[in-house]
Structure formats: structure tokens, C-alpha cells
Amino acid sequence: MTQPTWNDPDFDAGVMVRGALWLVQEIGVGNTFTKADIRVAFPSASQADRRIRDLRDYGWVLHAKNEDATLTSEQTRFVAQGAAVWNPKERSDANPRKAISNKEREATLSRDDHLCTTCGISGAEEYPDDPTQTAVIAVSRRVTVMPDGREESLLTTECKRCKAGLGKSRRSAEKISADVQALSAEDQARLLRWMNTGKRDLTATERVWSRYLRLPADARAEIRSVLEA
């Protein structure tokens, strides 16, 4: 399907779809926009900013101030493009919310200890290589290509940065198997222990750290003051 023009009056589409095209054609990956910019682009649409935020459900990565400290409270950065939502089939195939219930989402977060299963970072933790950004953990549906060519999907927790870096939502079981073989014997034994229990054997300190980061700021300050006393 040819990419439509975002403001073509003959293109019959909602604000979310037009907003996606606007981001690609007018803003560009890596650049920022504001609610005021959205209002100018879609003057007659109510809650246009919310419709554009809905693109996150389709793999689009949009960072606000809580994820990128270099931004102001009014700015949002267009980090990565997701599914081509102007294509009805791709939009339907990519929509995860129709398949992930709140119960499934909470169970997946609990299973993975609210940690990114790709890089291991906790929610609200600063990235070691970029302290201006803090991790936001979300549940994604990932499609894995099996060695025989079959595709199977599973729910996993990822930070938004890893999700953006992974791009398309398909993983190769053969590639992961090769990565496993490249591990040391000690790491393979630890990985097998995780596989058998269905859970990473985090240390008590790592578990407390993950829970601590999810507390309100005043509660974190109180706990810190106890340790510093």
C-alpha cells in the first residue's frame, strides 16, 4: 500500500492514522513535537494528542519527559516508527491490546519481577550509559520464529528502549539457541536453573531494589534516610 499524505482531504482515516503519517512526514524520527503542534495540525479533532499516544500500542516509541530528561514537560520525542497503521491489515496484526488483558499484563510483570527481559533494567532505573533517561517497563507480545518455520507468540516485559531497538516483533529461536551455546558452562548452568524454575534467581538485594524503584518519591526518601542514619 502506498503511503498516503497525512493531510489529504480524500484520505478517509481517523486521527491516530493521520497522526502517524504526520509524525513520519512532518516531524521525523529523532525530533520533538508538542501538544500545540498537534493542535495546529489537527485543529478540529478532540483529544488528538491522546490518539497519537495510542500509537504506542502499535509499536511506535514516543518519549516524554519521564523517559528523557532532556525534554520539557510539553515536548515528546518521536523515537521510532512502529506498524504502518495506515495499512488496515498491518494495523490489525500489530494491535496488542485486543490480545493482552490487564490480568495477563499484571501476571507477566509479576513473573518477570518488573524487569526488562532484554537488558535487565528495573522500571524507573536510570540507564548506566545515559542517566538522562529512566526505564519504563511494559508488556509486549513477541512472535518467535521456530526452527521449523512455525511462529509462536508470547508475552514478555521490556523497557521502551529495548523495544525500540528490537524493531520488528519477531525473534529467531535458532539465533537464541546459538547465543545459549556461546555462554560459559557456569552461565549455561545458571540459565538452565532459570528455565527449570521459570524465573530468574535474583538476589535479595536485586528484588528489593526493583520494588524500591516503584515506590513514590517520599517513600523512597524515607527508606534512604533510614540507611543513611
Side-chain angles (χ1 to χ4, degrees):
M1 178 179 180
T2 303
Q3 188 182 94
T5 303
W6 75 273
N7 58 356
D8 182 351
D10 295 326
F11 177 49
D12 184 17
V15 175
M16 186 188 76
V17 171
R18 288 184 179 274
L21 292 165
W22 174 73
L23 288 175
V24 172
Q25 297 168 3
E26 296 291 330
I27 302 302
V29 172
N31 296 319
T32 64
F33 60 94
T34 65
K35 289 183 179 180
D37 294 328
I38 296 174
R39 286 193 293 269
V40 170
F42 305 95
S44 60
S46 62
Q47 298 185 322
D49 59 318
R50 179 176 294 182
R51 299 287 78 79
I52 289 177
R53 290 199 304 273
D54 287 343
L55 287 167
R56 289 168 170 157
D57 294 338
Y58 296 85
W60 292 63
V61 183
L62 307 173
H63 281 178
K65 182 175 175 60
N66 63 326
E67 297 145 330
D68 184 345
T70 65
L71 300 175
T72 68
S73 59
E74 290 295 315
Q75 291 179 310
T76 300
R77 189 179 304 282
F78 175 24
V79 179
Q81 179 183 330
V85 294
W86 48 88
N87 183 315
K89 184 179 186 305
E90 188 166 344
R91 181 171 67 248
S92 177
D93 290 344
N95 186 354
R97 285 200 176 273
K98 65 181 181 183
I100 304 176
S101 67
N102 288 334
K103 183 178 180 180
E104 288 175 317
R105 188 173 288 105
E106 289 303 318
T108 304
L109 288 168
S110 177
R111 181 200 68 196
D112 294 336
D113 292 298
H114 290 258
L115 301 175
C116 175
T117 55
T118 300
C119 70
I121 199 167
S122 298
E125 185 175 3
E126 294 179 351
Y127 288 98
D129 61 340
D130 187 357
T132 66
Q133 293 193 50
T134 56
V136 176
I137 306 297
V139 176
S140 302
R141 183 171 295 283
R142 286 286 170 185
V143 176
T144 297
V145 180
M146 307 302 287
D148 62 3
R150 289 182 299 108
E151 293 187 354
E152 293 190 8
S153 62
L154 59 94
L155 298 179
T156 186
T157 51
E158 296 172 307
C159 69
K160 289 189 176 181
R161 191 169 80 165
C162 284
K163 183 175 181 179
L166 285 169
K168 295 295 183 180
S169 60
R170 283 172 169 75
R171 290 172 171 169
S172 168
E174 287 185 315
K175 173 62 169 62
I176 296 173
S177 179
D179 291 340
V180 170
Q181 296 301 318
L183 295 174
S184 67
E186 181 182 356
D187 286 340
Q188 285 183 355
R190 188 183 187 198
L191 179 61
L192 180 59
R193 190 164 63 248
W194 293 357
M195 292 175 178
N196 288 335
T197 60
K199 203 173 186 66
R200 283 187 289 178
D201 53 352
L202 300 176
T203 66
T205 304
E206 288 172 325
R207 291 185 183 280
V208 172
W209 171 248
S210 179
R211 294 197 297 270
Y212 164 81
L213 289 173
R214 300 198 298 274
L215 292 173
D218 55 347
R220 294 199 302 270
E222 183 177 343
I223 292 175
R224 190 166 57 249
S225 66
V226 171
L227 293 177
E228 293 172 344

